[in-house]
């Protein structure tokens, strides 16, 4: 059985996918994700839009956690004595001032931390195109656009589920 179908049959509508305005705070993003996780809806990124509802990019869970780290845990010094760059022991030091640091980070605008999103697909693009785009990149989500308007998102897990069904069904023949 071939991998068939179109992207729209496997996408999540934008209304179901976490998204915010660039002026939202990081606290707003954490609150939105927590509410969704508490409701057993797990997402790995949030789309970020400008005031005109144009997609600026995304912010992933990995990005959010990385933003929380102080500079001394994210930037290796150019020259230092000691072990070869293992900074994990410094994370214990961070525990002492993490509360104030997190409060400061929580007030920052999401728009200051946006990373590029994948180039959008169209709803009628073949599922194999989405599969190829995921396989050949590090993106876990791809926006779906009708014209210039983002209408949804397809996730790597949605494509994998469709592919798994094909592989399992084909293996039984």
């Amino acid at each position: 059985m071939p991998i068939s179908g179109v992207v729209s049959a496997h996408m999540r509508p934008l209304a179901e996918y976490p998204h915010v305005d660039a002026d939202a705070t990081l606290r707003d993003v954490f609150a939105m994700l927590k509410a969704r996780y508490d409701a057993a809806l797990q997402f790995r990124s949030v789309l970020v839009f400008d005031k005109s509802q144009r997609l600026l990019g995304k912010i992933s869970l990995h990005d959010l956690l990385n933003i929380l780290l102080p500079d001394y845990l994210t930037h290796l010094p150019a020259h230092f004595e000691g072990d070869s760059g293992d900074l994990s022991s410094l994370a214990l030091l961070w525990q002492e001032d993490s509360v104030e640091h997190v409060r400061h980070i929580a007030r920052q605008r999401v728009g200051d931390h946006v990373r590029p999103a994948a180039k959008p697909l169209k709803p009628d693009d073949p599922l194999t195109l989405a599969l190829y785009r995921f396989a050949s990149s590090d993106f876990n989500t791809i926006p779906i656009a009708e014209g210039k308007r983002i209408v949804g998102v397809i996730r790597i897990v949605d494509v994998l589920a469709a592919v798994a069904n094909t592989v399992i069904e084909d293996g039984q023949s």
Side-chain angles (χ1 to χ4, degrees), residues 2-40:
I3 297 169
S4 60
V6 294
V7 167
S8 61
H10 302 278
M11 74 177 206
R12 299 267 175 171
L14 184 58
E16 294 177 13
Y17 198 83
H19 60 284
V20 295
D21 184 84
D23 288 331
T25 65
L26 289 170
R27 183 191 182 288
D28 297 332
V29 172
F30 276 99
M32 175 194 314
L33 288 171
K34 182 183 181 321
R36 289 178 186 251
Y37 273 82
D38 288 350

Side-chain angles (χ1 to χ4, degrees), residues 55-126:
L55 181 63
L56 295 175
K58 68 176 183 94
I59 190 163
S60 71
L61 298 182
H62 188 270
D63 295 331
L64 288 168
L65 293 179
N66 200 13
I67 291 164
L68 291 177
L69 296 176
D71 287 344
Y72 62 84
L73 287 176
T74 59
H75 298 72
L76 282 174
H79 302 287
F80 65 94
E81 292 183 25
D83 201 0
S84 61
D86 180 13
L87 298 179
S88 59
S89 61
L90 293 177
L92 299 175
L93 296 174
W94 178 52
Q95 185 173 350
E96 299 302 318
D97 67 350
S98 63
V99 171
E100 187 55 39
H101 181 73
V102 167
R103 283 183 184 142
H104 170 73
I105 296 298
R107 294 186 297 265
Q108 293 182 4
R109 282 176 8 107
V110 174
D112 296 336
H113 299 283
V114 172
R115 296 175 51 108
K119 180 182 172 193
L121 291 169
K122 295 180 286 209
D124 58 349
D125 280 337

Side-chain angles (χ1 to χ4, degrees), residues 119-140:
K119 180 182 172 193
L121 291 169
K122 295 180 286 209
D124 58 349
D125 280 337
L127 186 60
T128 52
L129 180 57
L131 187 153
Y132 169 76
R133 296 268 308 277
F134 283 125
S136 62
S137 74
D138 287 333
F139 289 109
N140 289 322

Side-chain angles (χ1 to χ4, degrees), residues 147-168:
K148 293 186 179 191
R149 189 173 64 94
I150 302 299
V151 296
V153 173
I154 190 162
R155 304 172 307 164
I156 194 170
V157 294
D158 301 323
V159 172
L160 187 63
V163 170
N165 287 337
T166 300
V167 170
I168 292 166

